[in-house]
Amino acid sequence: MTAIVTGAARGIGAAVARRLAEDGHDVAVLDLDRATCADTVAAVEKAGRRGLAVGVDVTDEPAVAAAVAEVTDVLGAPTVLVNNAGILRDSPVAEMQLGDGGAVLDVHLTGAFLMTRAAQPHMAAAGRGRVVSMSSIAALGDPNRAHYSTAKAGLQGFTKTLARELGPLGITVNAVAPGFTVTDMTRAIAERRGLDAMAADRITAIPVGRAGTPDDIAQAVSFFADERSGFVSGQVLYVAGGPFG
Ligand code: NAI
């Protein structure tokens, strides 16, 4: 079984790639720069599976087609796709630049669309598939993140539509919506805003009293990606230490 994880050089994507390898998948590790995928590929191989590093910008249509073709040639046809690649460009809406907002929409929404469109025929041919996209609690509203929040809510609509459309082909489509999870992405916000305090504030608001870890999120992806989860589709699972969503 072959899985593709986008944005898997680090953070949540790296943990998901490692977990899917432990679950028995060969894993294609996709990120902007092939060289940055080496550690994740090593972790996949350490788990006893084959790993493949692929450099691709998920918003680049020909590059996405080439990446999925390379994965298919080297590891075999993908039956699991995790749309995880993401970026943040925080700013109050009044100051948000078109380019930054557009980039956020593009990476999350265009990226998930292009990757899913490219991978889905392989799943249809196999008669089974799993698509999992990374939404966020930001979908419920998150100040200074108008485009990010829009993109993450958009991924939920994408998920529900494709669950209906691809279900008859044996493909389930679900989303995981993480809460505050410690990765380079959240560390970068903390640095920009000067905020150890932000992390502390956010954690205070989390009922289980701690931030998430990439492995917490990988656990949920693993459930959706499992062969035995075939009756679960079109769902958004908030993995946020409390009753969000
Ligand atoms: P991260 O910034 O540590 O990792 C994101 C990865 O995506 C990076 O390796 C980056 O190079 C890659 N990437 C960015 N643009 C790309 C593109 N155009 N093509 C290919 N790869 C690209 O972020 P993190 O925290 O691991 O987040 C992963 C996902 O989880 C994102 O979609 C994020 O929005 C989402 N998320 C994260 C939360 C958190 O608290 N960390 C909370 C909710 C959702």
Side-chain angles (χ1 to χ4, degrees), residues 6-13 30-33 36 56-59 83-88 107-108 134-138 148 152 176-186:
T6 69
R10 66 184 199 195
I12 291 172
L30 273 57
D31 211 295
L32 286 169
D33 177 1
T36 61
V56 62
D57 178 342
V58 294
T59 68
N83 291 311
N84 167 79
I87 58 169
L88 270 181
V107 173
H108 298 273
M134 211 53 75
S135 180
S136 167
I137 53 167
Y148 184 78
K152 292 307 197 185
V176 174
F180 182 66
T181 305
V182 177
T183 66
D184 289 343
M185 184 181 269
T186 41

Side-chain angles (χ1 to χ4, degrees), residues 78-161:
T79 52
V80 175
L81 169 65
V82 183
N83 291 311
N84 167 79
I87 58 169
L88 270 181
R89 296 278 190 273
D90 287 8
S91 119
V93 69
E95 294 162 24
M96 193 166 276
Q97 299 300 308
L98 190 57
D100 280 342
V104 169
L105 293 175
D106 230 23
V107 173
H108 298 273
L109 294 177
T110 308
F113 158 64
L114 290 176
M115 286 300 309
T116 306
R117 190 182 62 177
Q120 172 264 324
H122 297 290
M123 300 181 188
R128 63 194 165 87
R130 301 279 182 264
V131 178
V132 185
S133 297
M134 211 53 75
S135 180
S136 167
I137 53 167
L140 301 169
D142 204 359
N144 301 315
R145 294 188 177 164
H147 288 84
Y148 184 78
S149 166
T150 302
K152 292 307 197 185
L155 280 173
Q156 298 190 9
F158 177 79
T159 293
K160 288 173 190 294
T161 290

